[in-house]
Amino acid sequence: MEKHVDCERILFDTQLLAERIKEVAECINKDYEGKEPLVVCTLKGALIFCSDLIRSLTCPISLDFMKVSSYGNSAVSGELHIRQGLSTNVTDRDVIIVEDIMDSGKTIYFLKSFLLREGAKSVKTVVLLDKPERRRFPLEPDYKCFEIEDEFVIGYGLDYAERYRNLPYVGILKRSIYEKE
Ligand code: IMP
Ligand code: MG
């Protein structure tokens, strides 16, 4: 695989991503047997992960999208806002939130509370990547594909300033790219 010039190191290549996502999908398939969960894909970062994951799910699902972001670029302190809401009624639904990465945990904490307030019967979370060192909110993902160190990663949906989402692997972004700005 040809590495992008801004990528320091490839962490998970296409094949490894595909294998691990299938394994996680198997766990979800067991847990949701006989159920019909609503999969909520968070935009934009989880798009590629979610599209691969759901193709390995065997239970019937519905799919919806949510976009949340904070005002400005404030990391942990900024208040989160729903930029794009659901078009599905979540009352009494078993919801699975699909997110690209759990960092501080703020996004998923916010989404989970929102969905429970809206009347979801259950809410579980599945993340492609987990950066446990950076956690500030009291929750853990129910399913995760990979744990990573505190590094800024790009590719397979994840961006830096909206770039690199289309890389078919997950890699570490060179420090020179974000330190020069
Ligand atoms: P949290 O709300 O602090 O858990 O942050 C989650 C969000 O921050 C993710 O949905 C990503 O959009 C973004 N994020 C955190 N770490 C990275 C990274 O290493 N690369 C790209 N985006 C990241
Ligand atoms: Mg995101």
Side-chain angles (χ1 to χ4, degrees), residues 49-99:
F49 170 45
C50 187
S51 69
D52 282 344
L53 179 78
I54 60 175
R55 279 179 285 178
S56 291
L57 294 182
T58 48
C59 52
I61 63 153
S62 322
L63 178 64
D64 210 336
F65 300 90
M66 277 187 87
K67 185 172 184 180
V68 298
S69 57
S70 35
Y71 274 135
N73 288 322
S74 49
V76 171
S77 54
E79 207 183 316
L80 284 177
H81 287 263
I82 296 173
R83 308 279 181 182
Q84 184 183 323
L86 293 170
S87 57
T88 315
N89 184 355
V90 300
T91 310
D92 291 328
R93 296 297 301 267
D94 293 304
V95 179
I96 304 174
I97 300 172
V98 182
E99 171 68 312

Side-chain angles (χ1 to χ4, degrees), residues 64-156:
D64 210 336
F65 300 90
M66 277 187 87
K67 185 172 184 180
V68 298
S69 57
S70 35
Y71 274 135
N73 288 322
S74 49
V76 171
S77 54
E79 207 183 316
L80 284 177
H81 287 263
I82 296 173
R83 308 279 181 182
Q84 184 183 323
L86 293 170
S87 57
T88 315
N89 184 355
V90 300
T91 310
D92 291 328
R93 296 297 301 267
D94 293 304
V95 179
I96 304 174
I97 300 172
V98 182
E99 171 68 312
D100 50 1
I101 184 164
M102 193 185 277
D103 188 34
S104 71
K106 180 180 178 176
T107 309
I108 294 186
Y109 189 82
F110 175 86
L111 279 175
K112 196 169 177 176
S113 329
F114 169 81
L115 291 163
L116 288 169
R117 267 201 317 276
E118 290 289 296
K121 189 202 283 177
S122 70
V123 181
K124 283 194 178 185
T125 58
V126 49
V127 300
L128 176 68
L129 304 170
D130 184 19
K131 275 187 198 174
E133 272 175 62
R134 306 228 335 145
R135 197 80 79 253
R136 303 268 195 95
F137 286 74
L139 86 165
E140 293 303 319
D142 295 290
Y143 309 93
K144 67 173 131 185
C145 296
F146 303 100
E147 245 180 54
I148 61 168
E149 313 262 290
D150 183 10
E151 305 261 22
F152 198 88
V153 292
I154 50 165
Y156 198 70

Side-chain angles (χ1 to χ4, degrees), residues 17 21 45 48-49 52 128 155-158 164-165 167-170:
L17 288 167
I21 290 166
I48 296 173
F49 170 45
D52 282 344
L128 176 68
Y156 198 70
L158 290 124
Y164 314 112
R165 293 193 196 275
L167 300 180
Y169 50 82
V170 173

